[in-house]
Amino acid sequence: QSSRLLEAQARLVTNQRSRLAVARTMYSMRFREEEDTAGLSMQQLRGREGARVKRVYRAHAARTGVEWSRRDYDVHDFASASIVNQALSAANTSLYGVVHAVIV
């Protein structure tokens, strides 16, 4: 019933310094034992997140026995991707759709 939190988020994200501070804080909350994020740039944070996601994909593939090589897809040719990559792309698109619907 209030846009107070959305307005606060918009203020933080539109300032480069506060945006980086928020990203560092969120990363450190999510990955407490992994590393200190105090001196990392936004690009370094994104790189750490990318590496973490790759580890998660590999670990779950090994746990479930699903054949996995890498995340690979062509946005212009959905059918050319492996079944696993198609499923990940479809799930990601669906999630974005649901989030967009909720926001709108």
Side-chain angles (χ1 to χ4, degrees):
Q1 294 184 358
S2 168
S3 62
R4 183 179 53 82
L5 293 176
L6 183 58
E7 290 171 18
Q9 183 179 11
R11 268 192 304 279
L12 290 170
V13 77
T14 55
N15 177 287
Q16 189 174 3
R17 212 172 277 154
S18 63
R19 181 180 182 182
L20 181 57
V22 168
R24 286 176 178 156
T25 300
M26 290 177 71
Y27 192 98
S28 66
M29 287 169 53
R30 209 165 158 195
F31 313 110
R32 294 178 198 278
E33 289 84 37
E34 290 189 26
E35 69 181 288
D36 180 18
T37 61
L40 298 180
S41 68
M42 189 66 81
Q43 184 176 0
Q44 289 170 318
L45 289 171
R46 288 183 183 128
R48 301 298 196 287
E49 176 66 5
R52 184 195 71 82
V53 169
K54 287 177 185 177
R55 284 193 307 272
V56 168
Y57 281 159
R58 279 194 302 272
H60 285 298
R63 181 182 59 80
T64 61
V66 171
E67 186 177 324
W68 177 256
S69 58
R70 57 179 250 175
R71 182 77 172 106
D72 188 27
Y73 62 96
D74 179 349
V75 296
H76 302 292
D77 187 8
F78 180 81
S80 68
S82 70
I83 297 297
V84 173
N85 277 294
Q86 286 179 16
L88 289 169
S89 294
N92 187 54
T93 299
S94 298
L95 179 61
Y96 271 84
V98 168
V99 169
H100 180 76
V102 168
I103 291 170
V104 171

